[in-house]
Amino acid sequence: MSEEASELIKKRYEKLQKLRQHSIDPYPNRFFKTHDIKRIKEAFFPQQGLVVGHVKTAGRVVSHRPMGKAVFFVIQDEADKIQIYASNETLNEIDFLVLQNLDLGDIVGVEGETFRTRTQEPSIRAHKLTLLAKNLSPLPVVKEKEGVLYDALSDVEFRYRKRYVDLIVTPKTRHDFKLRSSVVQAIRQFMQEEGFMEVETPMMQLVASGAAAKPFITHHNALDMDLYLRIAPELYLKRLIVGGFEKVFELNRNFRNEGISTKHNPEFTMMEAYQAYADYETMMDLTQRLFVFVADKVLGTQKITYGEHIIDLTPPWPRKNYLDLLHEYSGIDFKQKLQEKLSLEEAKELARKLQVPHHEAQTIWEVLDEVFSHLVEPKLIQPVFVQNYPKAMSPLAKSIPGDEFLVERFEPYIAGREMGNAFTELNDPEEQLRRFEEQLRQREQGARETMELDEDFIEALKVGMPPTGGLGLGIDRMVMLFTNNHSIKDVILFPLLRPRESKK
RNA sequence: GAGAAGCUAGCUCAGUCGGUAGAGCAACUGCCUUUUAAGCAGUGGGUCCCGGGUUCGAUUCCCGGGCUUCUCACCA
């Protein structure tokens, strides 16, 4: 950066030099505050009036208005901002030099009295000004009046690549990631209060199973073997149910080597929970209560504004059968067609008539899935449990007793988006083996995504797993819902981007 | 992986029907000691994403590449 430094940056380095020549350390070792800004506002600035008091606080200069030998500037800390007033009359000679060389983006410590300006703006009259870190890489200049931003940082790429800058200049970014943290915290609290134990299972696995997705491969040098980054924690969590823990959950990252989109990041956060002596209906109830708990906790309401919609999380959420929804939105009774032994060709013909693209579908189930995602999913705005899915797409779920095609599985849908996946867990090891083998057969027939056979998991089931309900929730998507964001990159602090040729 | 759009000053954006570019903010200089998207006057700042082609001349037209965004595909 330095040899290509722009004029702006050169100026900053010159100021740095000037300060050092006057024995001012632009990067002192420490500075301790008596108050953070929010507390100053609370303690010294009642609605009307003022409590005069002495404070010592710090923050980043986010606005800078010199006026003669006086300067009004605003400092921002993690939670709030306050205006500082300083001049040659309030500061000593050395601190005034700091003031004269102050730039947007500098981090400063301030000591002084609280007061209100003529326009009643809460302010601090600085008697001491300490430079704590010089800004050498000028920030985008974003101005703000009554909550409206002017020249807001709108270069999306810049915001993702330089998230630390985005966090400084874009209040919504700060807000959304604080809210994300609160969501995660609320989920943990809810699960713990429900009696679930948080566990950590391997992220590096010998067999990447538990979901149908392409894994990332990594390598262990000492053992000289390839490992997969997990695509799901599912099979390990169920091993713990076998081991005798009755309520477990894990809240952490999964890795899937798939395309990147507004709804997909290669690493994403899931919460998976398993409860022994329970079934998928138990998990529906848990899901509903969890969403309500989190919404109350972080938003204080069960009605969420998302884009054009007001989404009402108030339970109970309706439950609709997968095949009934297909019937409802396509006009075709697939349940009947299945009983009449519908062929793949006939299924594709039906999809053609419905104008649903299906060219890559290799099985009847994949055709149905295409129809579902094109005709049904976008309509599922208010919370709904879609239940009783085709067996062929759900190799880890228990069959509905007496039903040839369907399993006890549901997916909660909100805002046209799948928020999770849950089922009554298959615990019959022989059946599980057959299902894995069926996956292999489907793959040989050309199915795009199938699940890997995990032999040790079969061994675990042979030891005996009680009847169990399991649930997975996509945390990123949940946060998108709660923060009214439409791109997953806006709820991931550092989304994966291709590297860029230096510069910027 | 496919299609569409975008890439011009530190930021937000104009613009050039082909003659090497502008505004606002920011920076710098001067004035201004209760301003707040502060104000007034002046100054400086650009490999117009990269490479090639056409052309007397390309930031502009053509071809190739890069990166991003959006949509679709795969998936959650």
Side-chain angles (χ1 to χ4, degrees):
Chain A
M1 162 192 295
S2 52
E3 66 269 17
E4 297 274 346
S6 74
E7 190 193 353
L8 250 67
I9 293 170
K10 273 183 200 153
K11 284 269 155 49
R12 300 281 165 108
Y13 279 93
E14 282 166 20
K15 286 183 180 178
L16 190 74
Q17 266 317 105
K18 198 191 297 177
L19 293 169
R20 282 193 164 127
Q21 279 161 9
H22 287 82
S23 301
I24 295 164
D25 179 1
Y27 298 100
N29 285 32
R30 55 190 62 79
F31 183 87
F32 302 108
K33 312 190 261 188
T34 58
H35 301 74
D36 57 37
I37 294 169
K38 199 168 183 181
R39 268 202 62 212
I40 292 172
K41 293 256 182 97
E42 286 163 1
F44 300 97
F45 298 96
Q47 286 287 11
Q48 305 283 321
L50 164 74
V51 178
V52 177
H54 189 87
V55 296
K56 189 177 174 191
T57 192
R60 187 183 298 277
V61 177
V62 292
S63 137
H64 184 240
R65 293 182 292 274
M67 239 196 90
K69 287 199 168 60
V71 179
F72 291 92
F73 59 96
V74 175
I75 60 170
Q76 168 177 286
D77 69 11
E78 185 180 304
D80 212 341
K81 301 190 228 185
I82 194 164
Q83 174 171 272
I84 312 295
Y85 173 81
S87 73
N88 61 336
E89 289 168 5
T90 73
L91 299 175
N92 68 29
E93 207 174 309
I94 283 289
D95 287 2
F96 184 61
L97 192 72
V98 171
L99 183 69
Q100 284 180 307
N101 289 283
L102 201 63
D103 287 306
L104 206 68
D106 288 351
I107 297 174
V108 293
V110 162
E111 207 175 332
E113 260 82 53
T114 54
F115 79 109
R116 279 185 191 269
T117 62
R118 213 176 265 163
T119 53
Q120 298 307 303
E121 177 79 17
S123 308
I124 298 168
R125 186 181 292 102
H127 299 307
K128 278 190 186 171
L129 179 65
T130 314
L131 184 60
L132 302 178
K134 186 74 191 155
N135 172 280
L136 296 172
S137 178
L139 296 175
V141 181
V142 178
K143 299 207 171 189
E144 176 253 319
K145 187 188 187 182
E146 285 156 9
V148 180
L149 295 188
Y150 296 81
D151 296 332
L153 185 61
S154 65
D155 181 337
V156 183
E157 183 186 351
F158 185 100
R159 294 210 298 116
Y160 297 153
R161 287 188 194 280
K162 306 277 182 186
R163 184 67 92 184
Y164 41 89
V165 173
D166 185 33
L167 284 165
I168 293 165
V169 303
T170 314
K172 164 112 172 110
T173 303
R174 265 195 313 278
H175 169 269
D176 287 354
F177 286 105
K178 276 186 203 168
L179 196 132
R180 180 181 176 123
S181 175
S182 305
V183 167
V184 170
Q185 217 174 333
I187 293 171
R188 282 210 162 89
Q189 187 188 341
F190 175 81
M191 294 305 287
Q192 276 156 10
E193 285 174 6
E194 289 284 324
F196 284 82
M197 176 174 85
E198 182 166 8
V199 296
E200 290 154 286
T201 64
M203 296 224 184
M204 295 195 289
Q205 304 180 343
L206 283 162
V207 180
S209 189
K214 294 186 197 94
F216 286 92
I217 300 169
T218 187
H219 186 80
H220 191 286
N221 287 340
L223 296 178
D224 188 25
M225 67 180 185
D226 284 341
L227 289 165
Y228 299 104
L229 299 188
R230 75 174 178 199
I231 56 175
E234 171 146 359
L235 302 188
Y236 280 95
L237 291 172
K238 283 194 270 196
R239 282 172 173 91
L240 295 179
I241 299 293
V242 170
F245 293 129
E246 296 189 5
K247 284 178 159 188
V248 295
F249 79 101
E250 181 161 11
L251 178 42
N252 217 319
R253 234 67 69 78
N254 288 340
F255 306 87
R256 297 190 185 174
N257 208 338
E258 314 270 352
I260 295 174
S261 79
T262 44
K263 296 174 193 67
H264 304 267
N265 195 61
E267 51 179 308
F268 64 102
T269 302
M270 284 259 289
M271 199 280 289
E272 285 203 11
Y274 293 83
Q275 178 173 349
Y277 311 107
D279 68 0
Y280 75 144
E281 297 206 6
T282 320
M283 301 326 268
M284 280 189 215
D285 179 60
L286 187 77
T287 303
Q288 260 174 200
R289 286 187 293 112
L290 182 143
F291 268 85
V292 166
F293 181 89
V294 173
D296 281 344
K297 196 96 185 166
V298 307
L299 298 177
T301 172
Q302 295 177 19
K303 294 189 171 58
I304 300 178
T305 303
Y306 190 75
E308 302 298 299
H309 306 288
I310 305 278
I311 287 164
D312 187 353
L313 295 175
T314 310
W317 303 352
R319 302 175 182 191
K320 301 233 177 149
N321 290 316
Y322 180 82
L323 290 176
D324 291 346
L325 282 169
L326 272 176
H327 192 173
E328 184 179 334
Y329 287 96
S330 74
I332 294 168
D333 187 350
F334 282 101
K335 195 190 279 180
Q336 197 189 331
K337 299 275 180 199
L338 285 169
Q339 278 155 3
E340 292 165 3
K341 305 284 181 211
L342 170 86
S343 74
L344 175 59
E345 267 321 303
E346 288 162 343
K348 286 190 172 185
E349 182 54 33
L350 288 172
R352 243 189 304 277
K353 278 186 192 151
L354 295 166
Q355 300 191 316
V356 169
H358 59 277
H359 35 278
E360 293 194 40
Q362 297 296 329
T363 66
I364 293 171
W365 311 108
E366 288 181 356
V367 176
L368 287 192
D369 203 34
E370 293 286 0
V371 174
F372 190 87
S373 56
H374 280 87
L375 299 183
V376 184
E377 271 191 31
K379 306 281 172 45
L380 305 178
I381 303 301
Q382 296 301 324
V384 58
F385 290 118
V386 179
Q387 64 179 5
N388 303 339
Y389 277 72
K391 190 183 294 188
M393 292 160 55
S394 320
L396 301 169
K398 271 195 104 107
S399 298
I400 294 175
D403 194 300
E404 187 184 351
F405 298 112
L406 303 179
V407 293
E408 293 189 1
R409 171 183 174 189
F410 75 86
E411 295 197 348
Y413 274 85
I414 303 177
R417 225 175 264 144
E418 188 185 341
M419 303 297 299
N421 188 12
F423 22 89
T424 305
E425 303 296 335
L426 181 54
N427 64 345
D428 174 344
E430 292 175 319
E431 169 77 12
Q432 183 67 77
L433 183 58
R434 280 196 297 276
R435 299 277 197 93
F436 277 138
E437 285 167 352
E438 170 60 23
Q439 289 287 303
L440 289 175
R441 256 193 306 283
Q442 282 187 27
R443 187 187 315 182
E444 279 157 14
Q445 283 170 24
R448 288 162 292 175
E449 296 290 341
T450 59
M451 209 175 283
E452 290 292 326
L453 167 59
D454 184 335
E455 285 173 4
D456 182 71
F457 176 63
I458 301 286
E459 289 302 310
L461 289 187
K462 285 181 184 167
V463 172
M465 182 173 86
T468 296
L471 165 71
L473 289 179
I475 302 306
D476 308 282
R477 289 186 178 178
M478 196 168 165
V479 175
M480 285 165 72
L481 178 69
F482 283 125
T483 54
N484 195 12
N485 274 307
H486 295 259
S487 170
I488 197 167
K489 290 193 176 83
D490 288 319
V491 298
I492 292 175
L493 280 166
F494 301 102
L496 185 69
L497 298 176
R498 269 202 185 79
R500 194 154 211 217
E501 296 297 314
S502 64
K503 286 205 165 178
K504 280 218 158 183

